[in-house]
Amino acid sequence: MVSPMYTVYVGTFIQLPATSSPHEEHQLAITRGALWVSSADGKIKGFDWSIASESDLQTLLKRHGWVVDGRGSRTSVGVKLVRAREEENEFFFPGFIDTHIHAPQYPNTGLFGSSTLLSWLQTYTFPIEASFASPASMPSLPPPTAYRAYSQVISRTLSHGTTTASYFATIHVPATNLLASLAHKRGQRALIGRVCMDDPATCPPSLIDTSTATCLRDTEAVIQHIDSLSHPSSSEGAPKLIQPIITPRFAPSCRPTTLSALAALAAQHNPPLHIQTHISENVHECALVKQQFPDANSYADVYDRAGLLTPRTILAHAVHLSADETRLIAARRARVSHCPTSNSALGSGICPVRRLRRAGVVIGLGSDVSGGYSVSLLEGVRSACLVSRLVGFLRGQHHDKVEVVEAEADQDKKQTDGKRDENDDVVSVEEALYLATRGGAAVLDMAELIGGFDRGMAWDAQLIRLGAFQPAALWGPASPVSPVDVFGAESWTEKVHKWVWSGDDRNVRAVWVQGRLVHGVEVDDPRWSARWNWVWGLVGLGAAWVVVRRMR
Amino acid sequence: MVSPMYTVYVGTFIQLPATSSPHEEHQLAITRGALWVSSADGKIKGFDWSIASESDLQTLLKRHGWVVDGRGSRTSVGVKLVRAREEENEFFFPGFIDTHIHAPQYPNTGLFGSSTLLSWLQTYTFPIEASFASPASMPSLPPPTAYRAYSQVISRTLSHGTTTASYFATIHVPATNLLASLAHKRGQRALIGRVCMDDPATCPPSLIDTSTATCLRDTEAVIQHIDSLSHPSSSEGAPKLIQPIITPRFAPSCRPTTLSALAALAAQHNPPLHIQTHISENVHECALVKQQFPDANSYADVYDRAGLLTPRTILAHAVHLSADETRLIAARRARVSHCPTSNSALGSGICPVRRLRRAGVVIGLGSDVSGGYSVSLLEGVRSACLVSRLVGFLRGQHHDKVEVVEAEADQDKKQTDGKRDENDDVVSVEEALYLATRGGAAVLDMAELIGGFDRGMAWDAQLIRLGAFQPAALWGPASPVSPVDVFGAESWTEKVHKWVWSGDDRNVRAVWVQGRLVHGVEVDDPRWSARWNWVWGLVGLGAAWVVVRRMR
């Protein structure tokens, strides 16, 4: 059977418009109509927001010479139709972009006790990462734990609508290559980073690069493996889904020479490779960096001296940056991954997202599993909203009890010329959704490719179903499919808010990456698949007739 | 068919032991064995934690003369068996107790934009509550919106394992009576409060008691209706499930004379009626109280002068209490409902739970829907943990950047003689689960009846299923039933942590209130129900034989 040339998506599309200014208030762009994606490269080739009825749709199909049944002819082109059903409160939304997640830590999700960063690393994280080493007897085979953890984390992130993830793996080459292969097979867009860590003062003996040279060699081995992965099978002309990313764990676990060597390795590629690391997550970590790098002016300066602050660098956390560091990061156009679930869970603090954005820093969201307790970026969206309301509590609204941190506020006024009021720190639902889509795309330097539904972008999308209202039974044990109750009078904006605050993976009906269905049940247009029911009905009747005849 | 005399629950039971001291570290009590509940009154009559095998269980049954099939005889007693399956990571846990929830606001769950308390009341809350008035044409009938909202909120809270809830309704008698009847019918344990609000300066014309007299009259009408509700049908000798609660909305919406009259109304009952209201949620609200009650020493003092601070009083929020107010509340033995999801969502601030507990205040958790964005108390547990870690950030851990609020810390040292360190504010997973069960029971003055699995307590419980590990398929769209991934090596404590951080209503397999199944699918022992399969098999064979004979 010939593949259809296009898939036409029909229904309500919701996205966050691209913006050049962090001072603008983000709004949802809500449109209804049709959008078509080429099967050749998985990219959006066009859309028509004037389609308001079934006859409009038929006119559109006729105008393009499209026939909906997956087959074309000399005079027509076969297309496939996928609908978001209005009566089920379905809509298409850009896939989420997770700019910071540790794949090997996934089995530890929810396990952190009451620890903070440094004790958490020792107690929970290093042991599980060390277990990803290949067994000595068969050094070339990835261990089964890596297979289970990696295939599960890819499956779970996809099921939550994460179409792109920037993964930290471990120091181990076979397991890291496995992660890349699995993401490639499942069709998730991913940056895969072999973790580099070589300072014996801070790294456990079971989890350490023995030298800068072995660190570089192993990193290059992973890059080579990723380069060898084929283009997505369904779309030869499409951009590659899997890319390598240079991943020094964080300053305290790397020797300065290694940091510089890794920066050089990234720079020698064309375009330069992506880089990811952590910065200023926790006050004790900051103190450690000060002690370990006495010559540096700041934590950010450690990275800058090594050449690691580039426009393709993702810095996770950025909770405790000074004004100077913020300016430095903005000047280098390095990006920040905001990980609110993690920062709350490990008690690290609150990243002042609005302040950083006003200072010109590009920000996206990260789940930071398993410092973060959920792979869901919808949970990240919620969390980004919630903690930002507590920044306000810290800074102004609580003025009659908590002293405003005057020094900070002053620095801030100098940095920005916009007005400041007590809502200045509040991240709205719309802004948080922007961070999870367009913001994340910008953080990964992929703003042209993903994060929205612009023409030419890849179809990285999720079909969200809130469901029709299912009234509770008076007696029965009601178990609605959707965790969201839409009572019927809600606007689309209100429905999106309800999704954000009450929704979960049950609402993710389907997920596509670059046009390929990677999660959920793809729904053919029911009218078209029903077309052949009468044939099966006739076959059934005939069979019954034969049986009865024979019995007589 | 005669009901079995007992239900015997078999498997792993997890609960939080009662404690007399808030200085103790809370630990999970994890036991395995059998526990039996009387069908007559729904109470726990005994347990045996030495049951470790199937033969132990048979010995127990034989010793008591129990026969498992729902029927008794002259020499034996019929019992029913319900198992928590180890291989599915199932366990029994006490039902959650929601000490603060606004039932009419349920349809607004997730709708609050970026508002804070006072604007939220005007924009979202008062309009929906006003819609619960009966239509003028049929004043005795509850409006359909009330029916939909109330039956849904009961169904949803039950599905999240909330066995007891203290509800705010609205000012309307028919709708409030409906809420009581619905909770009674569905078998949820509930306090039902008709909201009192009569200050024309702050209440909208569409939602106001016209005088103290009408407020009292309407409140009494609801009390009378609740008194008329029968005992739970399954258990005549059991405590009543539904109780009235006196509910002045909060100081700013009530005239002082009304506050006093309501306190007197509560006091004239024996035992005195429960009372619920709000306190010190938001700084602007606090300022309003100061302005409206210039003679009072504090917000808490307003309630104290009216006689509203009693051992059966639930004060929601308590975010901005002064040390004097804390002492006053502790002295009056009034209780606090901590609503972290709401306080974060509306940017109200953080209730210093540990500090209040050290000062002797009894605390439970509240969802505060729809200020809170979720009916789930598991979400409340998560949120209580998370915000407490940010209190720490505020007070000490962030010392190199944020000035510690010295005045507060000093007050604190005077109040308590325990040691203080930076973890003093952190609410552990175990403590948050305690607040959601035993803590909530104490807040409702029901510590003897609910919140744990002690002998003589009501069987208010949930059966949690984490599920066996379901490996992700390499290609397929995997949609595991449970949001929790238990990989297999986890201890029970770790499983409980995973439940807290990743679980949701999908993990609530069954819920009982006072011995009655009120949500989920009750599971008979499969071996016993399989016993009759051969009969049905024979009947089926016989029917097939007759059909074939006839056709010939």
Side-chain angles (χ1 to χ4, degrees):
Chain A
M1 183 170 150
V2 182
S3 285
M5 195 167 279
Y6 296 104
T7 302
V8 182
Y9 297 89
V10 181
T12 298
F13 296 75
I14 301 181
Q15 59 179 317
L16 280 298
T19 175
S20 51
S21 160
H23 297 280
E24 264 174 49
E25 206 174 307
H26 293 276
Q27 300 284 353
L28 296 171
I30 302 167
T31 47
R32 204 175 144 63
L35 174 152
W36 46 99
V37 173
S38 159
S39 302
D41 60 5
K43 287 189 175 177
I44 299 168
K45 296 302 174 189
F47 43 75
D48 187 338
W49 301 145
S50 72
I51 306 294
S53 68
E54 200 54 37
S55 77
D56 287 354
L57 178 61
Q58 295 307 326
T59 309
L60 175 84
L61 294 174
K62 203 171 284 172
R63 195 170 65 235
H64 287 276
W66 288 343
V67 177
V68 181
D69 66 352
R71 257 173 281 257
S73 70
R74 262 190 314 143
T75 57
S76 66
V77 171
V79 299
K80 188 172 156 61
L81 216 57
V82 175
R83 289 172 192 266
R85 296 164 301 173
E86 205 76 0
E87 69 277 14
E88 288 285 336
N89 292 305
E90 291 183 346
F91 60 96
F92 297 104
F93 196 81
F96 287 136
I97 296 162
D98 190 342
T99 57
H100 185 66
I101 174 168
H102 292 265
Q105 296 171 18
Y106 176 73
N108 271 353
T109 305
L111 305 182
F112 51 91
S114 296
S115 63
T116 54
L117 179 66
L118 300 182
S119 63
W120 168 79
L121 280 173
Q122 300 294 337
T123 314
Y124 297 96
T125 302
F126 289 155
I128 197 167
E129 290 196 14
S131 78
F132 279 62
S134 303
S137 54
M138 27 177 189
S140 65
L141 284 180
T145 52
Y147 178 82
R148 283 178 65 165
Y150 286 160
S151 87
Q152 200 72 10
V153 72
I154 292 167
S155 184
R156 286 284 191 179
T157 49
L158 286 174
S159 74
H160 284 273
T162 298
T163 48
T164 301
S166 188
Y167 288 111
F168 276 59
T170 61
I171 64 169
H172 313 101
V173 175
T176 304
N177 288 348
L178 175 69
L179 175 61
S181 297
L182 286 172
H184 180 255
K185 202 145 205 167
R186 287 296 309 275
Q188 188 173 47
R189 193 182 300 282
L191 301 173
I192 306 283
R194 177 199 171 274
V195 173
C196 301
M197 46 199 291
D198 70 343
D199 189 330
T202 52
C203 299
S206 58
L207 198 68
I208 189 165
D209 289 316
T210 47
S211 70
T212 303
T214 61
C215 171
L216 287 179
R217 187 199 62 202
D218 287 356
T219 302
E220 278 171 339
V222 170
I223 295 171
Q224 210 164 11
H225 172 76
I226 291 173
D227 285 345
S228 76
L229 295 172
S230 63
H231 281 260
S233 54
S234 63
S235 41
E236 278 304 321
K240 286 193 121 181
L241 290 183
I242 314 294
Q243 292 182 45
I245 181 166
I246 300 298
T247 307
R249 182 167 212 117
F250 66 157
S253 61
C254 296
R255 284 181 288 203
T257 49
T258 306
L259 292 175
S260 304
L262 288 169
L265 176 61
Q268 81 191 36
H269 283 73
N270 184 15
L273 294 183
H274 288 85
I275 296 168
Q276 63 185 352
T277 189
H278 301 83
I279 197 167
S280 277
E281 177 176 359
N282 167 291
V283 288
H284 300 295
E285 169 213 9
C286 293
L288 194 61
V289 171
K290 216 169 182 172
Q291 184 189 319
Q292 243 176 285
F293 299 85
D295 299 338
N297 298 322
S298 66
Y299 198 155
D301 188 48
V302 172
Y303 292 141
D304 193 44
R305 287 172 185 221
L308 284 165
L309 295 188
T310 80
R312 305 195 104 198
T313 300
I314 309 166
L315 301 166
H317 303 300
V319 172
H320 304 282
L321 293 181
S322 70
D324 279 346
E325 289 178 291
T326 306
R327 270 191 291 268
L328 175 61
I329 289 167
R332 296 287 182 266
R333 295 173 53 224
R335 283 85 203 271
V336 163
S337 173
H338 172 41
C339 306
T341 52
S342 167
N343 297 335
S344 295
L346 297 182
S348 304
I350 303 177
C351 168
V353 171
R354 301 272 317 128
R355 218 186 325 159
L356 292 182
R357 290 195 73 202
R358 283 195 302 269
V361 177
V362 172
I363 301 190
L365 289 187
S367 67
D368 191 27
V369 160
S370 68
Y373 53 84
S374 171
V375 294
S376 161
L377 266 214
L378 199 66
E379 181 75 18
V381 165
R382 282 192 281 272
S383 193
C385 293
L386 293 173
V387 299
S388 76
R389 283 155 173 77
L390 296 175
V391 176
F393 162 74
L394 238 179
R395 294 166 68 77
Q397 294 182 42
H398 203 210
H399 40 70
D400 62 346
K401 284 199 65 206
V402 178
E403 294 187 33
V404 181
V405 189
E406 291 297 341
E408 284 292 315
D410 285 348
Q411 282 176 3
D412 219 280
K413 270 179 204 144
K414 281 175 214 150
Q415 280 175 358
T416 68
D417 34 18
K419 70 168 177 54
R420 287 190 52 77
D421 64 30
E422 64 178 29
N423 280 324
D424 259 14
D425 294 300
V426 171
V427 172
S428 68
V429 165
E430 288 77 6
E431 182 168 14
L433 288 172
Y434 174 89
L435 296 178
T437 53
R438 301 257 185 196
V443 165
L444 304 189
D445 201 21
M446 297 184 188
E448 311 293 315
L449 185 66
I450 54 176
F453 295 147
D454 304 345
R455 201 185 314 262
M457 277 186 163
W459 178 248
D460 283 25
Q462 40 185 334
L463 174 57
I464 301 297
R465 174 178 57 181
L466 302 181
F469 181 68
Q470 296 177 291
L474 191 55
W475 288 103
S479 290
V481 178
S482 167
V484 183
D485 277 331
V486 175
F487 280 78
E490 294 88 346
S491 68
W492 266 115
T493 300
E494 290 176 326
K495 288 178 198 171
V496 169
H497 280 238
K498 284 198 162 191
W499 169 52
V500 165
W501 291 107
S502 309
D504 63 30
D505 52 325
R506 282 170 281 189
N507 299 110
V508 181
R509 191 157 167 246
V511 179
W512 296 266
V513 174
Q514 212 152 279
R516 173 178 162 201
L517 183 80
V518 290
H519 173 78
V521 185
E522 184 152 18
V523 187
D524 289 303
D525 186 351
R527 291 178 314 121
W528 293 102
S529 48
R531 171 188 275 192
W532 302 101
N533 277 1
W534 63 270
V535 174
W536 296 115
L538 276 187
V539 169
L541 272 177
W545 183 74
V546 168
V547 169
V548 169
R549 278 285 301 249
R550 290 204 134 203
M551 286 194 112
R552 285 196 180 152
Chain B
M1 182 169 149
V2 183
S3 286
M5 196 167 277
Y6 295 104
T7 303
V8 182
Y9 298 89
V10 181
T12 298
F13 296 75
I14 302 182
Q15 58 179 317
L16 281 299
T19 174
S20 50
S21 161
H23 298 281
E24 266 173 47
E25 206 174 306
H26 293 276
Q27 300 283 352
L28 297 170
I30 302 167
T31 47
R32 203 173 146 66
L35 173 152
W36 45 99
V37 172
S38 160
S39 302
D41 60 6
K43 289 187 174 176
I44 299 169
K45 297 302 174 188
F47 43 76
D48 187 338
W49 301 147
S50 72
I51 306 294
S53 69
E54 200 56 35
S55 78
D56 287 352
L57 178 62
Q58 295 307 326
T59 309
L60 175 84
L61 295 173
K62 204 172 284 177
R63 194 170 68 235
H64 287 277
W66 287 342
V67 177
V68 182
D69 65 353
R71 255 174 282 257
S73 69
R74 263 187 315 142
T75 57
S76 66
V77 170
V79 300
K80 187 174 156 63
L81 217 58
V82 176
R83 288 173 193 266
R85 297 165 299 174
E86 205 77 1
E87 69 276 15
E88 288 286 335
N89 292 305
E90 291 183 344
F91 60 97
F92 297 104
F93 196 81
F96 287 137
I97 297 164
D98 189 343
T99 57
H100 185 65
I101 174 168
H102 292 264
Q105 298 171 17
Y106 177 73
N108 272 353
T109 305
L111 304 182
F112 52 88
S114 296
S115 63
T116 53
L117 179 65
L118 300 182
S119 63
W120 169 79
L121 281 172
Q122 299 294 337
T123 313
Y124 296 94
T125 302
F126 289 155
I128 197 168
E129 290 197 13
S131 79
F132 279 61
S134 302
S137 54
M138 26 176 192
S140 65
L141 286 178
T145 51
Y147 179 82
R148 282 177 66 165
Y150 286 161
S151 84
Q152 201 71 12
V153 72
I154 292 167
S155 183
R156 286 286 191 179
T157 49
L158 286 174
S159 74
H160 284 273
T162 298
T163 47
T164 301
S166 188
Y167 286 113
F168 277 58
T170 62
I171 65 169
H172 313 101
V173 175
T176 304
N177 287 348
L178 175 69
L179 175 61
S181 298
L182 287 171
H184 179 255
K185 202 145 205 168
R186 288 296 308 274
Q188 189 173 45
R189 193 183 301 281
L191 300 174
I192 305 285
R194 176 197 171 274
V195 172
C196 299
M197 46 197 293
D198 71 344
D199 190 331
T202 52
C203 299
S206 58
L207 198 68
I208 188 167
D209 288 317
T210 47
S211 70
T212 303
T214 61
C215 171
L216 288 179
R217 188 198 62 203
D218 287 357
T219 302
E220 279 171 337
V222 170
I223 295 171
Q224 212 165 10
H225 173 76
I226 292 173
D227 284 345
S228 77
L229 295 172
S230 62
H231 281 261
S233 55
S234 63
S235 42
E236 279 303 319
K240 286 194 118 181
L241 289 184
I242 314 295
Q243 292 182 44
I245 182 165
I246 300 299
T247 307
R249 183 168 212 118
F250 66 156
S253 61
C254 296
R255 284 181 288 201
T257 48
T258 306
L259 291 176
S260 304
L262 289 169
L265 176 60
Q268 79 189 39
H269 284 72
N270 184 15
L273 295 182
H274 287 88
I275 297 168
Q276 64 184 351
T277 190
H278 302 82
I279 196 166
S280 276
E281 177 175 358
N282 166 292
V283 288
H284 300 296
E285 169 212 10
C286 293
L288 194 61
V289 170
K290 214 169 187 175
Q291 185 189 320
Q292 243 176 287
F293 299 84
D295 297 339
N297 298 324
S298 67
Y299 199 156
D301 188 47
V302 172
Y303 291 141
D304 194 43
R305 286 173 184 219
L308 286 165
L309 294 189
T310 80
R312 306 195 103 198
T313 300
I314 308 166
L315 301 167
H317 303 301
V319 172
H320 305 282
L321 294 181
S322 69
D324 279 345
E325 289 179 291
T326 305
R327 270 190 291 269
L328 176 61
I329 289 168
R332 296 286 182 266
R333 296 173 51 223
R335 281 85 203 271
V336 163
S337 172
H338 173 39
C339 306
T341 53
S342 168
N343 297 335
S344 295
L346 297 182
S348 303
I350 303 177
C351 168
V353 170
R354 300 272 319 130
R355 217 189 323 161
L356 292 182
R357 291 194 74 202
R358 284 195 300 269
V361 178
V362 172
I363 301 190
L365 289 187
S367 68
D368 191 29
V369 160
S370 69
Y373 54 84
S374 172
V375 294
S376 161
L377 266 214
L378 198 67
E379 180 75 19
V381 165
R382 282 192 281 268
S383 193
C385 294
L386 293 174
V387 299
S388 77
R389 284 155 172 77
L390 296 174
V391 175
F393 163 72
L394 237 176
R395 294 166 69 77
Q397 294 184 41
H398 201 208
H399 42 69
D400 62 345
K401 284 199 66 208
V402 178
E403 296 185 32
V404 180
V405 189
E406 291 297 343
E408 284 291 316
D410 285 349
Q411 281 175 4
D412 220 278
K413 272 178 204 146
K414 282 173 215 154
Q415 280 174 358
T416 66
D417 34 20
K419 68 168 179 53
R420 286 192 52 76
D421 66 29
E422 65 178 28
N423 278 325
D424 260 13
D425 295 298
V426 172
V427 172
S428 69
V429 165
E430 288 77 6
E431 181 169 15
L433 288 171
Y434 174 89
L435 296 178
T437 54
R438 301 256 185 197
V443 165
L444 305 188
D445 201 23
M446 297 183 187
E448 310 295 314
L449 185 66
I450 54 176
F453 295 146
D454 304 345
R455 202 186 313 263
M457 279 188 161
W459 178 249
D460 283 25
Q462 40 185 333
L463 174 57
I464 301 298
R465 173 178 57 183
L466 302 180
F469 181 68
Q470 297 178 290
L474 191 55
W475 287 104
S479 289
V481 178
S482 167
V484 183
D485 277 331
V486 175
F487 281 78
E490 295 88 346
S491 68
W492 265 116
T493 300
E494 289 176 327
K495 288 178 197 172
V496 169
H497 281 238
K498 285 198 160 190
W499 169 52
V500 165
W501 291 107
S502 308
D504 63 31
D505 50 325
R506 280 170 282 190
N507 299 111
V508 181
R509 187 154 171 249
V511 179
W512 296 267
V513 174
Q514 214 153 278
R516 175 178 159 200
L517 182 81
V518 291
H519 174 80
V521 187
E522 183 153 19
V523 188
D524 288 302
D525 185 352
R527 291 177 313 122
W528 293 102
S529 49
R531 169 188 277 193
W532 301 100
N533 278 1
W534 62 272
V535 175
W536 296 115
L538 277 187
V539 169
L541 274 178
W545 183 73
V546 169
V547 168
V548 169
R549 279 286 302 247
R550 290 205 129 203
M551 287 193 112
R552 282 189 181 157

